[in-house]
Each structure stands twice: as C-alpha cells, then as structure tokens.
Amino acid sequence: MEDHFGEAVAVRYDERYESLASPDVVSPIVDFLAGVAGEGPALELGIGTGRIALPLAARGVAVRGIDLSEAMVERLRAKPGGAELEVTIGDFARTRVEGSFSLVYLVANTIMNLTTQDEQVACFQNAADHLGEGGCFVIEVLVPGLQRLPVGERYQPFDVSSTHLGFDEIDVVTQRLTSHHFWIDDGKVQVFSPPFRYAWPSELDLMARLAGMSLRERWSGWKREPFTGESGKHVSVWEKPRTSA
Ligand SMILES: C[S@@+](CC[C@H](N)C(=O)[O-])C[C@H]1O[C@@H](n2cnc3c(N)ncnc32)[C@H](O)[C@@H]1O
C-alpha cells in the first residue's frame, strides 16, 4: 500500500486545508458523529492530522484511529490532546485494532484512497468487524461528477485560483480518478496527484451488505440535508444488526 501523504504533503496539509478545519465545517460533523457514537468508543479510518478526531475526543467520545502516514500522525500527536489518542499505523482496509466500537467513520472522500473494488470491499468488512452489534459505519464521500463530464472528456477542473489549480482526471471504464493538484507558492509549483477510485452510493450499499450491514441514513450533508439527484456528496450511515432481540 503506497503512502501518498508523506512528509512533503503532511508538512503543508493543515495550512492548505485550513478552511476544512473551521468551526463552521467541523462542528456539524462532530455533532453528527457524537450523536451516532453515543457511549462510544469511535474509530476513525484515515485519522490524518486529527481535524475531526481531536474535537470529537474533546466532546467526550473515546476515539482511536488508523492511518498509513507516520508524517500525518506526527502532526496529530503534536496538537493539544493528540498524544493521548491511540493511533495504529497501517492500511485501514485490513488493519485490526483492539476493541469493539459503536462508530467507525471515514470522512473527506478517504474511502476513495482505496483504488480497487477489492480494497474498498475489504474496508467495509474491516469496519463491520470492528463494530459491536447496532454499531454504525459512517462515510462522507462525493457523488461521482459524471453528469458534468461531456462524452469523451477525461478532465474536470475543481479549483482554479492564483495559488492552486486542481483537475480531476476521470476514467469511466475503471472508475479510477486522479486528482491533479498544482500548488503555486512563491513562484514555485508543487505537484500532488493522488490516485482514487470513485463509487456510486448504490455500490457502497452493496459493499455494506456484503459485510452484513444495511443503510440506516443517507444525507447530502452533516446537518442532515436531504440527499437528491443534484447532491454532490453524501453522508451515509450503515448499521450492523443486533443478533438478539
Ligand atoms: C484526506 S486525508 C483526511 C484526514 C482526516 N480524516 C481529515 O478529515 O482531515 C486522508 C488520510 O487518510 C490516510 N490514508 C489514505 N489511505 C489510507 C489507507 N489505505 N490506510 C490508512 N490510511 C490511509 C492518509 O494518510 C491521510 O492521513
């Protein structure tokens, strides 16, 4: 498993995605996750620099995490409360941590970092294996933007500014997507092109079903906005059934 979030990315990650760490963005996510977690504990797959895990832990939910990148986790550990969070370095599709969780969650399109269907299926199974009965797996991920892709076109701009150019390169046959980022800093350009695999909500529902879970809720945002044909992303909650009445 290749680590695309090494030192060169981690050193600038919080600065570049500062807007995603604002209270306006983070508070509804933490409210939603704390509500689903109940008594906890919660497990974040792809915990990164702790954007969500740290405020969720500050809310009183015991949080643990898995991440592939030592460099990202080093940033988390340096933040207030970060040293107390238990993080396992490994691939979240297969890495097992001790315990049974009421919530496993995966935000910010991170399921797409798994670039094959097999890996995504394994991730759903791994999430289910970590959940206790009645526990939930929550994912925040984009809806593939194919309605905006003309026939025969592969490239789609998602951000164009004086400091950042971002283009998705989409392969509609393999469902592979490469996000090409060109960050412009003091006249220097830094290129970051991580590979992804996109999946429709229905395909994710089937992965959940293969892992013994079923869809409980689907929204277009963390404030439980309705999910419609025009939604650009979804927040989905799959539940592991209780075996006894
Ligand atoms: C876009 S960042 C999101 C970080 C954090 N969840 C947040 O919302 O700020 C994705 C994180 O997932 C991690 N990651 C990607 N693929 C992974 C994998 N297969 N196993 C474990 N971690 C992975 C990366 O190292 C990175 O820290």
Side-chain angles (χ1 to χ4, degrees):
M1 178 60 56
E2 199 177 335
D3 175 10
H4 294 283
F5 290 81
E7 184 57 31
V9 173
V11 71
R12 293 262 167 85
Y13 187 85
D14 283 344
E15 180 194 325
R16 286 190 171 152
Y17 296 99
E18 195 182 5
S19 63
L20 295 183
S22 75
D24 283 359
V25 175
V26 170
S27 295
I29 303 177
V30 170
D31 288 346
F32 188 105
L33 294 174
V36 176
E39 298 292 301
L43 176 66
E44 179 165 0
L45 306 183
I47 193 168
T49 61
R51 179 179 70 99
I52 304 303
L54 288 170
L56 186 59
R59 192 63 86 75
V61 178
V63 184
R64 268 172 265 166
I66 299 176
D67 204 287
L68 205 54
S69 167
E70 286 275 8
M72 292 287 278
V73 173
E74 203 177 293
R75 268 70 196 183
L76 177 154
R77 288 191 177 123
K79 293 177 183 174
E84 287 83 61
L85 279 191
E86 207 180 290
V87 180
T88 303
I89 298 298
D91 172 9
F92 59 57
R94 297 176 200 280
T95 300
R96 186 82 177 97
V97 306
E98 280 290 304
S100 172
F101 298 82
S102 63
L103 167 70
V104 177
Y105 66 96
L106 187 47
V107 298
N109 297 329
T110 302
I111 183 69
M112 291 173 52
N113 283 112
L114 301 173
T115 55
T116 67
Q117 189 184 55
D118 281 351
E119 286 171 27
Q120 292 180 350
V121 166
C123 177
F124 271 76
Q125 186 61 60
N126 199 28
D129 290 346
H130 282 88
L131 288 172
E133 291 184 9
C136 289
F137 184 34
V138 176
I139 279 190
E140 173 194 36
V141 67
L142 59 76
V143 174
L146 300 195
Q147 281 185 339
R148 291 185 291 115
L149 191 72
V151 174
E153 183 56 270
R154 293 175 69 84
Y155 298 97
Q156 199 169 62
F158 58 86
D159 190 25
V160 177
S161 75
S162 57
T163 53
H164 180 230
L165 301 174
F167 303 91
D168 281 336
E169 180 180 0
I170 297 169
D171 184 332
V172 294
V173 174
T174 60
Q175 296 183 206
R176 290 290 293 264
L177 180 154
T178 306
S179 276
H180 298 286
H181 295 263
F182 301 89
W183 297 96
I184 301 140
D185 220 352
D186 263 349
K188 289 196 189 118
V189 178
Q190 192 191 14
V191 181
F192 175 45
S193 291
F196 295 103
R197 177 181 188 271
Y198 66 81
W200 298 103
S202 57
E203 187 184 358
L204 300 177
D205 288 342
L206 189 57
M207 292 183 193
R209 210 162 128 187
L210 290 171
M213 299 183 286
S214 57
L215 185 67
R216 188 178 93 172
E217 301 172 50
R218 172 159 291 136
W219 308 101
S220 71
W222 293 101
K223 293 178 184 162
R224 291 190 160 80
E225 299 90 338
F227 181 72
T228 72
E230 288 173 19
S231 300
K233 75 167 190 184
H234 59 109
V235 173
S236 295
V237 181
W238 295 276
E239 190 171 28
K240 183 166 172 169
R242 294 174 198 280
T243 51
S244 53

